[in-house]
Amino acid sequence: MKIVRRDFVFKGPGSVKMVPEEADDLWMAYNLIAVGDSVLAVTIRKVLREAASGGRDAERVKLKLEIQVEAVDYDKEGSVLRIRGKNILENEHVKIGAFHTLEIELHRPFVLRKAVWDSLTLELLRQASDPAASADLAVILMQEGLAHIFLVGKSVTTTRSRIEVSIPRKHGPAIAGYESALKKFFENVLQAFLKHVDFKVVRCAVIASSGFTKDQFHRHLLHEAERRQLRAIIENKSKIILVHTTSGYKYNNECYLEIYCHVGTRDPSLMSWSFVVRRHSLREVLDAPNVMNLIKDTKAAQEVRTLKDFFDMLSNAPERACYGPKHVEVAHERMAIQTLLITDELFRNADVLTRQKYVNLVSSVKDSGGNAYIFSSMHVSGEQLAQLTGIAAILRFPLPDLEDIEM
């Protein structure tokens, strides 16, 4: 995010002019803009003019509007932010109080005004303008006949392509068509790779699969790059990494982690209720040591490491890990939180008091010497945390009596 101008007081009013330069920036803007804020931007609106004939003609006019925000929608696939509200800026074409929807796209500047710039919004602003926080990772998840291409940014993971080709069995009468079908599949994946993977942007490209599909495609990719003189691949082949995963899907539902939640006990035989956290093949990629070494200084990698630490603690020393708003609140009252994990989704609560409660919690944990990580709900780690109510904590010391408190 390019910050053009800052003019605000901490915990007071003010404005920031900014320009989103990539999809991650739009997601950051989505988290920054809250109901009640105002946004100023250039927009297009259809207006009616008096014609010479006495009738009225419709005309599209480019103008500058400032609206009081009532709703914000983020379109991940279209890379656009839609902000709906009432106009508050005097204009010859649009009355004050008239509804309008601003569309914020990449490279389109806008001004955000807030009545209060709190610690959370300042942290989001810092992250948005920090180029070092970006992950910029391309991932090709594969299995025979199926491939997905993902782009992992600092806050958003987008699915850029899905390739599916029917592959006949390798044995029996259909074996004659196996090689040609596999070659067609690899060619389709190669074309999608060339279209969506830009090595000027990504730090590395990961080819991941169970079995040997990744190795076969990697050989095909390098062979075709040499044969066709595809310079982008030839010059960056050292940035292409192979990783083992359990499937070619983003989620692998056959491998799951079950977390038991009880009243008064952690003994599974006395279980009161439970739920399942899906294991992500994409998270397996981010967990891989050779990938982690390349993105270790990024926000995405930090989230993956922190969530892994939480699950390890939950498995090995459950009295030093908790999740759910009530348990985390009690742990904080006892000054027990060492690391707070919370999704950005909780800060988009329509209730201002609820949102402020979480802002204060993050600030208080940091003030007491703890760490607080705000997880993007558009990343795999944030999705997993959301399944654990969206808030969790690693504790400084054991709190075994948290079991007795109903969530």
Side-chain angles (χ1 to χ4, degrees), residues 160-195:
R160 305 304 297 171
S161 184
R162 175 189 168 98
I163 304 99
E164 196 164 8
V165 172
S166 179
I167 307 286
R169 292 184 178 182
K170 200 171 182 177
H171 306 288
I175 192 170
Y178 173 81
E179 291 295 337
S180 61
L182 191 63
K183 187 175 180 180
K184 177 185 175 183
F185 170 59
F186 285 162
E187 178 59 27
N188 291 350
V189 178
L190 171 58
Q191 291 304 319
F193 184 98
L194 292 172
K195 181 179 180 180

PDB file of all heavy atoms in Angstrom, residues 160-195:
ATOM      1  N   ARG A 160      -5.905 -19.048  -8.352  1.00  0.00           N
ATOM      2  CA  ARG A 160      -5.790 -18.452  -9.688  1.00  0.00           C
ATOM      3  C   ARG A 160      -6.255 -19.388 -10.787  1.00  0.00           C
ATOM      4  O   ARG A 160      -6.719 -18.939 -11.838  1.00  0.00           O
ATOM      5  CB  ARG A 160      -4.341 -18.046  -9.967  1.00  0.00           C
ATOM      6  CG  ARG A 160      -3.748 -17.124  -8.934  1.00  0.00           C
ATOM      7  CD  ARG A 160      -4.583 -15.867  -8.752  1.00  0.00           C
ATOM      8  NE  ARG A 160      -4.651 -15.064  -9.968  1.00  0.00           N
ATOM      9  CZ  ARG A 160      -5.437 -14.027 -10.133  1.00  0.00           C
ATOM     10  NH1 ARG A 160      -6.248 -13.659  -9.157  1.00  0.00           N
ATOM     11  NH2 ARG A 160      -5.433 -13.349 -11.258  1.00  0.00           N
ATOM     12  N   SER A 161      -6.147 -20.694 -10.576  1.00  0.00           N
ATOM     13  CA  SER A 161      -6.547 -21.621 -11.644  1.00  0.00           C
ATOM     14  C   SER A 161      -6.805 -23.016 -11.083  1.00  0.00           C
ATOM     15  O   SER A 161      -6.181 -23.423 -10.103  1.00  0.00           O
ATOM     16  CB  SER A 161      -5.438 -21.691 -12.705  1.00  0.00           C
ATOM     17  OG  SER A 161      -5.829 -22.495 -13.793  1.00  0.00           O
ATOM     18  N   ARG A 162      -7.754 -23.708 -11.703  1.00  0.00           N
ATOM     19  CA  ARG A 162      -8.002 -25.124 -11.405  1.00  0.00           C
ATOM     20  C   ARG A 162      -7.937 -25.869 -12.729  1.00  0.00           C
ATOM     21  O   ARG A 162      -8.620 -25.497 -13.691  1.00  0.00           O
ATOM     22  CB  ARG A 162      -9.376 -25.310 -10.759  1.00  0.00           C
ATOM     23  CG  ARG A 162      -9.770 -26.774 -10.533  1.00  0.00           C
ATOM     24  CD  ARG A 162     -11.220 -26.885 -10.099  1.00  0.00           C
ATOM     25  NE  ARG A 162     -11.700 -28.264 -10.143  1.00  0.00           N
ATOM     26  CZ  ARG A 162     -11.763 -29.073  -9.102  1.00  0.00           C
ATOM     27  NH1 ARG A 162     -11.406 -28.621  -7.922  1.00  0.00           N
ATOM     28  NH2 ARG A 162     -12.212 -30.306  -9.223  1.00  0.00           N
ATOM     29  N   ILE A 163      -7.090 -26.886 -12.809  1.00  0.00           N
ATOM     30  CA  ILE A 163      -6.921 -27.663 -14.045  1.00  0.00           C
ATOM     31  C   ILE A 163      -7.329 -29.096 -13.762  1.00  0.00           C
ATOM     32  O   ILE A 163      -6.848 -29.710 -12.805  1.00  0.00           O
ATOM     33  CB  ILE A 163      -5.453 -27.623 -14.530  1.00  0.00           C
ATOM     34  CG1 ILE A 163      -4.989 -26.170 -14.712  1.00  0.00           C
ATOM     35  CG2 ILE A 163      -5.301 -28.395 -15.825  1.00  0.00           C
ATOM     36  CD1 ILE A 163      -4.191 -25.619 -13.576  1.00  0.00           C
ATOM     37  N   GLU A 164      -8.210 -29.615 -14.579  1.00  0.00           N
ATOM     38  CA  GLU A 164      -8.686 -30.988 -14.379  1.00  0.00           C
ATOM     39  C   GLU A 164      -8.751 -31.695 -15.723  1.00  0.00           C
ATOM     40  O   GLU A 164      -9.346 -31.193 -16.684  1.00  0.00           O
ATOM     41  CB  GLU A 164     -10.061 -30.987 -13.704  1.00  0.00           C
ATOM     42  CG  GLU A 164     -10.452 -32.329 -13.131  1.00  0.00           C
ATOM     43  CD  GLU A 164     -11.599 -32.228 -12.141  1.00  0.00           C
ATOM     44  OE1 GLU A 164     -12.195 -31.136 -12.002  1.00  0.00           O
ATOM     45  OE2 GLU A 164     -11.900 -33.259 -11.502  1.00  0.00           O
ATOM     46  N   VAL A 165      -8.111 -32.847 -15.808  1.00  0.00           N
ATOM     47  CA  VAL A 165      -8.099 -33.672 -17.030  1.00  0.00           C
ATOM     48  C   VAL A 165      -8.343 -35.118 -16.618  1.00  0.00           C
ATOM     49  O   VAL A 165      -7.740 -35.599 -15.655  1.00  0.00           O
ATOM     50  CB  VAL A 165      -6.749 -33.549 -17.775  1.00  0.00           C
ATOM     51  CG1 VAL A 165      -6.682 -34.548 -18.928  1.00  0.00           C
ATOM     52  CG2 VAL A 165      -6.541 -32.129 -18.287  1.00  0.00           C
ATOM     53  N   SER A 166      -9.230 -35.788 -17.334  1.00  0.00           N
ATOM     54  CA  SER A 166      -9.512 -37.201 -17.038  1.00  0.00           C
ATOM     55  C   SER A 166      -8.330 -38.058 -17.471  1.00  0.00           C
ATOM     56  O   SER A 166      -7.914 -38.030 -18.636  1.00  0.00           O
ATOM     57  CB  SER A 166     -10.785 -37.630 -17.773  1.00  0.00           C
ATOM     58  OG  SER A 166     -11.050 -38.994 -17.518  1.00  0.00           O
ATOM     59  N   ILE A 167      -7.762 -38.799 -16.522  1.00  0.00           N
ATOM     60  CA  ILE A 167      -6.609 -39.665 -16.795  1.00  0.00           C
ATOM     61  C   ILE A 167      -7.066 -41.127 -16.714  1.00  0.00           C
ATOM     62  O   ILE A 167      -7.556 -41.560 -15.661  1.00  0.00           O
ATOM     63  CB  ILE A 167      -5.471 -39.438 -15.777  1.00  0.00           C
ATOM     64  CG1 ILE A 167      -5.095 -37.957 -15.694  1.00  0.00           C
ATOM     65  CG2 ILE A 167      -4.266 -40.303 -16.123  1.00  0.00           C
ATOM     66  CD1 ILE A 167      -4.331 -37.414 -16.838  1.00  0.00           C
ATOM     67  N   PRO A 168      -6.925 -41.906 -17.801  1.00  0.00           N
ATOM     68  CA  PRO A 168      -7.341 -43.325 -17.749  1.00  0.00           C
ATOM     69  C   PRO A 168      -6.406 -44.134 -16.849  1.00  0.00           C
ATOM     70  O   PRO A 168      -5.326 -43.662 -16.456  1.00  0.00           O
ATOM     71  CB  PRO A 168      -7.238 -43.788 -19.205  1.00  0.00           C
ATOM     72  CG  PRO A 168      -6.264 -42.849 -19.834  1.00  0.00           C
ATOM     73  CD  PRO A 168      -6.426 -41.541 -19.133  1.00  0.00           C
ATOM     74  N   ARG A 169      -6.810 -45.345 -16.533  1.00  0.00           N
ATOM     75  CA  ARG A 169      -5.986 -46.197 -15.674  1.00  0.00           C
ATOM     76  C   ARG A 169      -4.668 -46.529 -16.351  1.00  0.00           C
ATOM     77  O   ARG A 169      -4.565 -46.609 -17.568  1.00  0.00           O
ATOM     78  CB  ARG A 169      -6.733 -47.488 -15.346  1.00  0.00           C
ATOM     79  CG  ARG A 169      -7.945 -47.264 -14.461  1.00  0.00           C
ATOM     80  CD  ARG A 169      -8.583 -48.595 -14.097  1.00  0.00           C
ATOM     81  NE  ARG A 169      -9.726 -48.413 -13.217  1.00  0.00           N
ATOM     82  CZ  ARG A 169     -10.440 -49.419 -12.728  1.00  0.00           C
ATOM     83  NH1 ARG A 169     -10.132 -50.667 -13.040  1.00  0.00           N
ATOM     84  NH2 ARG A 169     -11.456 -49.179 -11.928  1.00  0.00           N
ATOM     85  N   LYS A 170      -3.670 -46.751 -15.492  1.00  0.00           N
ATOM     86  CA  LYS A 170      -2.326 -47.016 -16.009  1.00  0.00           C
ATOM     87  C   LYS A 170      -2.172 -48.468 -16.474  1.00  0.00           C
ATOM     88  O   LYS A 170      -1.198 -48.813 -17.148  1.00  0.00           O
ATOM     89  CB  LYS A 170      -1.303 -46.708 -14.906  1.00  0.00           C
ATOM     90  CG  LYS A 170       0.095 -46.464 -15.407  1.00  0.00           C
ATOM     91  CD  LYS A 170       0.989 -45.954 -14.280  1.00  0.00           C
ATOM     92  CE  LYS A 170       2.388 -45.666 -14.777  1.00  0.00           C
ATOM     93  NZ  LYS A 170       3.254 -45.113 -13.709  1.00  0.00           N
ATOM     94  N   HIS A 171      -3.120 -49.308 -16.112  1.00  0.00           N
ATOM     95  CA  HIS A 171      -3.023 -50.733 -16.443  1.00  0.00           C
ATOM     96  C   HIS A 171      -4.220 -51.156 -17.288  1.00  0.00           C
ATOM     97  O   HIS A 171      -5.252 -50.487 -17.330  1.00  0.00           O
ATOM     98  CB  HIS A 171      -2.962 -51.578 -15.166  1.00  0.00           C
ATOM     99  CG  HIS A 171      -1.874 -51.143 -14.223  1.00  0.00           C
ATOM    100  ND1 HIS A 171      -0.546 -51.352 -14.469  1.00  0.00           N
ATOM    101  CD2 HIS A 171      -1.940 -50.468 -13.040  1.00  0.00           C
ATOM    102  CE1 HIS A 171       0.182 -50.850 -13.477  1.00  0.00           C
ATOM    103  NE2 HIS A 171      -0.645 -50.304 -12.591  1.00  0.00           N
ATOM    104  N   GLY A 172      -4.085 -52.271 -17.969  1.00  0.00           N
ATOM    105  CA  GLY A 172      -5.197 -52.804 -18.756  1.00  0.00           C
ATOM    106  C   GLY A 172      -5.304 -52.149 -20.125  1.00  0.00           C
ATOM    107  O   GLY A 172      -4.368 -51.506 -20.611  1.00  0.00           O
ATOM    108  N   PRO A 173      -6.479 -52.280 -20.763  1.00  0.00           N
ATOM    109  CA  PRO A 173      -6.661 -51.778 -22.134  1.00  0.00           C
ATOM    110  C   PRO A 173      -6.488 -50.270 -22.278  1.00  0.00           C
ATOM    111  O   PRO A 173      -6.167 -49.782 -23.355  1.00  0.00           O
ATOM    112  CB  PRO A 173      -8.116 -52.176 -22.446  1.00  0.00           C
ATOM    113  CG  PRO A 173      -8.461 -53.253 -21.467  1.00  0.00           C
ATOM    114  CD  PRO A 173      -7.663 -52.974 -20.248  1.00  0.00           C
ATOM    115  N   ALA A 174      -6.715 -49.533 -21.195  1.00  0.00           N
ATOM    116  CA  ALA A 174      -6.665 -48.063 -21.284  1.00  0.00           C
ATOM    117  C   ALA A 174      -5.251 -47.508 -21.205  1.00  0.00           C
ATOM    118  O   ALA A 174      -5.054 -46.295 -21.318  1.00  0.00           O
ATOM    119  CB  ALA A 174      -7.504 -47.457 -20.155  1.00  0.00           C
ATOM    120  N   ILE A 175      -4.241 -48.377 -21.061  1.00  0.00           N
ATOM    121  CA  ILE A 175      -2.881 -47.882 -20.849  1.00  0.00           C
ATOM    122  C   ILE A 175      -2.369 -47.056 -22.020  1.00  0.00           C
ATOM    123  O   ILE A 175      -1.555 -46.157 -21.862  1.00  0.00           O
ATOM    124  CB  ILE A 175      -1.918 -49.058 -20.539  1.00  0.00           C
ATOM    125  CG1 ILE A 175      -0.568 -48.514 -20.025  1.00  0.00           C
ATOM    126  CG2 ILE A 175      -1.722 -49.937 -21.780  1.00  0.00           C
ATOM    127  CD1 ILE A 175       0.355 -49.585 -19.482  1.00  0.00           C
ATOM    128  N   ALA A 176      -2.885 -47.352 -23.232  1.00  0.00           N
ATOM    129  CA  ALA A 176      -2.428 -46.623 -24.423  1.00  0.00           C
ATOM    130  C   ALA A 176      -2.752 -45.135 -24.329  1.00  0.00           C
ATOM    131  O   ALA A 176      -2.000 -44.289 -24.819  1.00  0.00           O
ATOM    132  CB  ALA A 176      -3.064 -47.216 -25.678  1.00  0.00           C
ATOM    133  N   GLY A 177      -3.881 -44.806 -23.672  1.00  0.00           N
ATOM    134  CA  GLY A 177      -4.270 -43.399 -23.565  1.00  0.00           C
ATOM    135  C   GLY A 177      -3.713 -42.699 -22.346  1.00  0.00           C
ATOM    136  O   GLY A 177      -3.869 -41.474 -22.212  1.00  0.00           O
ATOM    137  N   TYR A 178      -3.058 -43.448 -21.463  1.00  0.00           N
ATOM    138  CA  TYR A 178      -2.577 -42.872 -20.217  1.00  0.00           C
ATOM    139  C   TYR A 178      -1.509 -41.813 -20.457  1.00  0.00           C
ATOM    140  O   TYR A 178      -1.596 -40.689 -19.941  1.00  0.00           O
ATOM    141  CB  TYR A 178      -2.028 -43.985 -19.312  1.00  0.00           C
ATOM    142  CG  TYR A 178      -1.346 -43.469 -18.061  1.00  0.00           C
ATOM    143  CD1 TYR A 178      -2.100 -43.086 -16.952  1.00  0.00           C
ATOM    144  CD2 TYR A 178       0.044 -43.353 -17.998  1.00  0.00           C
ATOM    145  CE1 TYR A 178      -1.474 -42.603 -15.802  1.00  0.00           C
ATOM    146  CE2 TYR A 178       0.671 -42.870 -16.866  1.00  0.00           C
ATOM    147  CZ  TYR A 178      -0.090 -42.502 -15.777  1.00  0.00           C
ATOM    148  OH  TYR A 178       0.520 -42.011 -14.646  1.00  0.00           O
ATOM    149  N   GLU A 179      -0.480 -42.172 -21.248  1.00  0.00           N
ATOM    150  CA  GLU A 179       0.634 -41.252 -21.485  1.00  0.00           C
ATOM    151  C   GLU A 179       0.184 -39.973 -22.172  1.00  0.00           C
ATOM    152  O   GLU A 179       0.603 -38.870 -21.803  1.00  0.00           O
ATOM    153  CB  GLU A 179       1.727 -41.935 -22.305  1.00  0.00           C
ATOM    154  CG  GLU A 179       2.475 -43.040 -21.571  1.00  0.00           C
ATOM    155  CD  GLU A 179       3.271 -42.514 -20.382  1.00  0.00           C
ATOM    156  OE1 GLU A 179       3.606 -41.309 -20.381  1.00  0.00           O
ATOM    157  OE2 GLU A 179       3.545 -43.292 -19.462  1.00  0.00           O
ATOM    158  N   SER A 180      -0.695 -40.100 -23.177  1.00  0.00           N
ATOM    159  CA  SER A 180      -1.154 -38.909 -23.906  1.00  0.00           C
ATOM    160  C   SER A 180      -2.020 -38.016 -23.014  1.00  0.00           C
ATOM    161  O   SER A 180      -1.939 -36.783 -23.089  1.00  0.00           O
ATOM    162  CB  SER A 180      -1.921 -39.309 -25.163  1.00  0.00           C
ATOM    163  OG  SER A 180      -3.063 -40.074 -24.827  1.00  0.00           O
ATOM    164  N   ALA A 181      -2.861 -38.633 -22.159  1.00  0.00           N
ATOM    165  CA  ALA A 181      -3.704 -37.848 -21.251  1.00  0.00           C
ATOM    166  C   ALA A 181      -2.852 -37.126 -20.217  1.00  0.00           C
ATOM    167  O   ALA A 181      -3.102 -35.957 -19.887  1.00  0.00           O
ATOM    168  CB  ALA A 181      -4.722 -38.758 -20.561  1.00  0.00           C
ATOM    169  N   LEU A 182      -1.817 -37.806 -19.701  1.00  0.00           N
ATOM    170  CA  LEU A 182      -0.942 -37.191 -18.711  1.00  0.00           C
ATOM    171  C   LEU A 182      -0.155 -36.028 -19.326  1.00  0.00           C
ATOM    172  O   LEU A 182       0.007 -34.974 -18.697  1.00  0.00           O
ATOM    173  CB  LEU A 182       0.030 -38.237 -18.148  1.00  0.00           C
ATOM    174  CG  LEU A 182       0.846 -37.814 -16.916  1.00  0.00           C
ATOM    175  CD1 LEU A 182      -0.077 -37.526 -15.733  1.00  0.00           C
ATOM    176  CD2 LEU A 182       1.860 -38.894 -16.554  1.00  0.00           C
ATOM    177  N   LYS A 183       0.288 -36.222 -20.588  1.00  0.00           N
ATOM    178  CA  LYS A 183       1.017 -35.160 -21.278  1.00  0.00           C
ATOM    179  C   LYS A 183       0.119 -33.941 -21.494  1.00  0.00           C
ATOM    180  O   LYS A 183       0.546 -32.791 -21.317  1.00  0.00           O
ATOM    181  CB  LYS A 183       1.540 -35.679 -22.617  1.00  0.00           C
ATOM    182  CG  LYS A 183       2.451 -34.696 -23.328  1.00  0.00           C
ATOM    183  CD  LYS A 183       3.043 -35.310 -24.589  1.00  0.00           C
ATOM    184  CE  LYS A 183       3.966 -34.305 -25.289  1.00  0.00           C
ATOM    185  NZ  LYS A 183       4.554 -34.873 -26.531  1.00  0.00           N
ATOM    186  N   LYS A 184      -1.143 -34.195 -21.853  1.00  0.00           N
ATOM    187  CA  LYS A 184      -2.107 -33.098 -22.039  1.00  0.00           C
ATOM    188  C   LYS A 184      -2.331 -32.356 -20.713  1.00  0.00           C
ATOM    189  O   LYS A 184      -2.385 -31.120 -20.669  1.00  0.00           O
ATOM    190  CB  LYS A 184      -3.430 -33.657 -22.560  1.00  0.00           C
ATOM    191  CG  LYS A 184      -4.523 -32.600 -22.720  1.00  0.00           C
ATOM    192  CD  LYS A 184      -5.850 -33.240 -23.116  1.00  0.00           C
ATOM    193  CE  LYS A 184      -6.958 -32.181 -23.160  1.00  0.00           C
ATOM    194  NZ  LYS A 184      -8.272 -32.787 -23.469  1.00  0.00           N
ATOM    195  N   PHE A 185      -2.448 -33.110 -19.624  1.00  0.00           N
ATOM    196  CA  PHE A 185      -2.636 -32.516 -18.303  1.00  0.00           C
ATOM    197  C   PHE A 185      -1.458 -31.625 -17.932  1.00  0.00           C
ATOM    198  O   PHE A 185      -1.622 -30.467 -17.526  1.00  0.00           O
ATOM    199  CB  PHE A 185      -2.813 -33.632 -17.274  1.00  0.00           C
ATOM    200  CG  PHE A 185      -2.784 -33.170 -15.838  1.00  0.00           C
ATOM    201  CD1 PHE A 185      -3.697 -32.241 -15.364  1.00  0.00           C
ATOM    202  CD2 PHE A 185      -1.819 -33.666 -14.956  1.00  0.00           C
ATOM    203  CE1 PHE A 185      -3.673 -31.807 -14.041  1.00  0.00           C
ATOM    204  CE2 PHE A 185      -1.788 -33.251 -13.631  1.00  0.00           C
ATOM    205  CZ  PHE A 185      -2.714 -32.314 -13.183  1.00  0.00           C
ATOM    206  N   PHE A 186      -0.234 -32.142 -18.115  1.00  0.00           N
ATOM    207  CA  PHE A 186       0.960 -31.359 -17.792  1.00  0.00           C
ATOM    208  C   PHE A 186       1.055 -30.103 -18.652  1.00  0.00           C
ATOM    209  O   PHE A 186       1.484 -29.045 -18.181  1.00  0.00           O
ATOM    210  CB  PHE A 186       2.221 -32.210 -17.948  1.00  0.00           C
ATOM    211  CG  PHE A 186       2.437 -33.214 -16.852  1.00  0.00           C
ATOM    212  CD1 PHE A 186       3.294 -34.296 -17.020  1.00  0.00           C
ATOM    213  CD2 PHE A 186       1.801 -33.068 -15.623  1.00  0.00           C
ATOM    214  CE1 PHE A 186       3.506 -35.215 -16.003  1.00  0.00           C
ATOM    215  CE2 PHE A 186       2.002 -33.988 -14.594  1.00  0.00           C
ATOM    216  CZ  PHE A 186       2.859 -35.063 -14.787  1.00  0.00           C
ATOM    217  N   GLU A 187       0.663 -30.207 -19.920  1.00  0.00           N
ATOM    218  CA  GLU A 187       0.698 -29.040 -20.805  1.00  0.00           C
ATOM    219  C   GLU A 187      -0.292 -27.974 -20.336  1.00  0.00           C
ATOM    220  O   GLU A 187       0.019 -26.774 -20.337  1.00  0.00           O
ATOM    221  CB  GLU A 187       0.380 -29.459 -22.248  1.00  0.00           C
ATOM    222  CG  GLU A 187       0.334 -28.317 -23.246  1.00  0.00           C
ATOM    223  CD  GLU A 187       1.643 -27.535 -23.331  1.00  0.00           C
ATOM    224  OE1 GLU A 187       2.723 -28.114 -23.043  1.00  0.00           O
ATOM    225  OE2 GLU A 187       1.587 -26.331 -23.673  1.00  0.00           O
ATOM    226  N   ASN A 188      -1.473 -28.394 -19.900  1.00  0.00           N
ATOM    227  CA  ASN A 188      -2.464 -27.439 -19.386  1.00  0.00           C
ATOM    228  C   ASN A 188      -1.967 -26.742 -18.119  1.00  0.00           C
ATOM    229  O   ASN A 188      -2.166 -25.540 -17.935  1.00  0.00           O
ATOM    230  CB  ASN A 188      -3.795 -28.145 -19.104  1.00  0.00           C
ATOM    231  CG  ASN A 188      -4.506 -28.592 -20.370  1.00  0.00           C
ATOM    232  OD1 ASN A 188      -4.105 -28.225 -21.478  1.00  0.00           O
ATOM    233  ND2 ASN A 188      -5.553 -29.383 -20.222  1.00  0.00           N
ATOM    234  N   VAL A 189      -1.305 -27.511 -17.257  1.00  0.00           N
ATOM    235  CA  VAL A 189      -0.748 -26.927 -16.031  1.00  0.00           C
ATOM    236  C   VAL A 189       0.387 -25.963 -16.375  1.00  0.00           C
ATOM    237  O   VAL A 189       0.496 -24.883 -15.784  1.00  0.00           O
ATOM    238  CB  VAL A 189      -0.245 -28.021 -15.066  1.00  0.00           C
ATOM    239  CG1 VAL A 189       0.375 -27.394 -13.813  1.00  0.00           C
ATOM    240  CG2 VAL A 189      -1.392 -28.950 -14.661  1.00  0.00           C
ATOM    241  N   LEU A 190       1.207 -26.335 -17.346  1.00  0.00           N
ATOM    242  CA  LEU A 190       2.309 -25.470 -17.784  1.00  0.00           C
ATOM    243  C   LEU A 190       1.782 -24.128 -18.290  1.00  0.00           C
ATOM    244  O   LEU A 190       2.321 -23.064 -17.949  1.00  0.00           O
ATOM    245  CB  LEU A 190       3.117 -26.168 -18.874  1.00  0.00           C
ATOM    246  CG  LEU A 190       4.188 -25.327 -19.595  1.00  0.00           C
ATOM    247  CD1 LEU A 190       5.204 -24.768 -18.617  1.00  0.00           C
ATOM    248  CD2 LEU A 190       4.877 -26.139 -20.679  1.00  0.00           C
ATOM    249  N   GLN A 191       0.710 -24.160 -19.099  1.00  0.00           N
ATOM    250  CA  GLN A 191       0.140 -22.920 -19.629  1.00  0.00           C
ATOM    251  C   GLN A 191      -0.413 -22.043 -18.504  1.00  0.00           C
ATOM    252  O   GLN A 191      -0.248 -20.817 -18.516  1.00  0.00           O
ATOM    253  CB  GLN A 191      -0.963 -23.242 -20.647  1.00  0.00           C
ATOM    254  CG  GLN A 191      -0.461 -23.865 -21.941  1.00  0.00           C
ATOM    255  CD  GLN A 191       0.586 -23.004 -22.641  1.00  0.00           C
ATOM    256  OE1 GLN A 191       0.465 -21.772 -22.700  1.00  0.00           O
ATOM    257  NE2 GLN A 191       1.623 -23.642 -23.150  1.00  0.00           N
ATOM    258  N   ALA A 192      -1.059 -22.676 -17.524  1.00  0.00           N
ATOM    259  CA  ALA A 192      -1.577 -21.923 -16.378  1.00  0.00           C
ATOM    260  C   ALA A 192      -0.428 -21.352 -15.548  1.00  0.00           C
ATOM    261  O   ALA A 192      -0.499 -20.224 -15.040  1.00  0.00           O
ATOM    262  CB  ALA A 192      -2.461 -22.822 -15.516  1.00  0.00           C
ATOM    263  N   PHE A 193       0.648 -22.109 -15.412  1.00  0.00           N
ATOM    264  CA  PHE A 193       1.845 -21.669 -14.686  1.00  0.00           C
ATOM    265  C   PHE A 193       2.415 -20.413 -15.341  1.00  0.00           C
ATOM    266  O   PHE A 193       2.724 -19.420 -14.677  1.00  0.00           O
ATOM    267  CB  PHE A 193       2.875 -22.806 -14.686  1.00  0.00           C
ATOM    268  CG  PHE A 193       4.119 -22.540 -13.887  1.00  0.00           C
ATOM    269  CD1 PHE A 193       4.250 -23.025 -12.603  1.00  0.00           C
ATOM    270  CD2 PHE A 193       5.172 -21.804 -14.429  1.00  0.00           C
ATOM    271  CE1 PHE A 193       5.402 -22.787 -11.856  1.00  0.00           C
ATOM    272  CE2 PHE A 193       6.320 -21.562 -13.696  1.00  0.00           C
ATOM    273  CZ  PHE A 193       6.436 -22.053 -12.408  1.00  0.00           C
ATOM    274  N   LEU A 194       2.558 -20.447 -16.673  1.00  0.00           N
ATOM    275  CA  LEU A 194       3.116 -19.298 -17.401  1.00  0.00           C
ATOM    276  C   LEU A 194       2.216 -18.074 -17.283  1.00  0.00           C
ATOM    277  O   LEU A 194       2.696 -16.939 -17.221  1.00  0.00           O
ATOM    278  CB  LEU A 194       3.302 -19.663 -18.882  1.00  0.00           C
ATOM    279  CG  LEU A 194       4.375 -20.711 -19.188  1.00  0.00           C
ATOM    280  CD1 LEU A 194       4.308 -21.120 -20.654  1.00  0.00           C
ATOM    281  CD2 LEU A 194       5.757 -20.172 -18.850  1.00  0.00           C
ATOM    282  N   LYS A 195       0.916 -18.302 -17.216  1.00  0.00           N
ATOM    283  CA  LYS A 195      -0.036 -17.195 -17.152  1.00  0.00           C
ATOM    284  C   LYS A 195      -0.071 -16.534 -15.778  1.00  0.00           C
ATOM    285  O   LYS A 195      -0.177 -15.306 -15.671  1.00  0.00           O
ATOM    286  CB  LYS A 195      -1.441 -17.710 -17.512  1.00  0.00           C
ATOM    287  CG  LYS A 195      -2.515 -16.635 -17.495  1.00  0.00           C
ATOM    288  CD  LYS A 195      -3.863 -17.213 -17.897  1.00  0.00           C
ATOM    289  CE  LYS A 195      -4.948 -16.130 -17.869  1.00  0.00           C
ATOM    290  NZ  LYS A 195      -6.281 -16.694 -18.252  1.00  0.00           N
TER     291      LYS A 195
END
